[in-house]
Amino acid sequence: MATTVHDTRATTAPASLQLPGILLGVGLGGFLDGILLHQLLRWHHMLSSTDHDRVGVRYYDPHTVSGLQMNTLWDGIFHTVCWLAVLGGLAVLYARVTTGRRQVWASRVLWGWILAGWGLFNLVEGVLDHHILGIHHVHSGPHQMWWDLAFLVLGALLLAGGWLLQRGGRSFDPATAGAGRDGRVA
């Protein structure tokens, strides 16, 4: 009786870097937004425009101690979601890539998807929080619409640039990671 050995590596597609890259990009983009715009520049907090929002969230004036405390709490919830996205992205990446990790971190594909995820974060967060809910704006004041639109344009550029970057990279096959030109492991 003959038995056949089936090589699964020949029929399975390489592990995709798309999901971990997008999760990492969403989380890292959110962290950059929170650290730069919420903390360093102090342009806004999660609920800093609820006096003009579209959903009826109570206004917490960020210029008072109690208002700043509530805004800081919601900024912390926002950062927790960003942290979970980064943690999830790293977990998925680790599960998909068991060899050749150095090659993955240098991969245009991974960094392209990270940029695309950052752009996706900007677009979703910008449309939802700035335009639909109106709970905060990039920089409140007489020109806030232009700041909000610039945030969306940046998101679209990051998404498009990331997509183009990953398309220009080589797909990563963990089964052949570490192999030289002749297919042998270096």
Side-chain angles (χ1 to χ4, degrees), residues 53-70:
D53 71 342
R54 294 177 184 81
V55 290
V57 175
R58 181 175 166 212
Y59 178 58
Y60 298 98
D61 185 352
H63 299 98
T64 66
V65 172
S66 62
L68 186 58
Q69 286 175 331
M70 185 57 77

Side-chain angles (χ1 to χ4, degrees), residues 28-43:
L28 294 171
F31 273 133
L32 183 67
D33 176 281
I35 293 166
L36 182 64
L37 301 179
H38 297 211
Q39 295 171 328
L40 295 176
L41 295 175
R42 293 172 290 165
W43 282 0

Side-chain angles (χ1 to χ4, degrees), residues 65-87:
V65 172
S66 62
L68 186 58
Q69 286 175 331
M70 185 57 77
N71 273 285
T72 303
L73 170 70
W74 280 96
D75 287 348
I77 292 169
F78 171 75
H79 280 111
T80 300
V81 172
C82 295
W83 183 77
L84 290 171
V86 169
L87 188 64

Side-chain angles (χ1 to χ4, degrees), residues 95-161:
R96 291 188 177 178
V97 180
T98 56
T99 60
R101 288 190 182 102
R102 183 174 292 167
Q103 290 174 331
V104 171
W105 284 110
S107 165
R108 294 176 78 175
V109 174
L110 178 63
W111 289 103
W113 284 121
I114 289 173
L115 284 177
W118 180 6
L120 189 63
F121 163 81
N122 277 20
L123 291 172
V124 171
E125 195 268 341
V127 168
L128 187 65
D129 290 345
H130 306 165
H131 297 283
I132 294 175
L133 300 177
I135 60 173
H136 70 255
H137 299 280
V138 173
H139 190 46
S140 294
H143 305 294
Q144 73 186 22
M145 178 61 79
W146 291 109
W147 285 102
D148 291 345
L149 291 174
F151 190 79
L152 292 176
V153 168
L154 175 63
L157 290 172
L158 287 167
L159 182 61

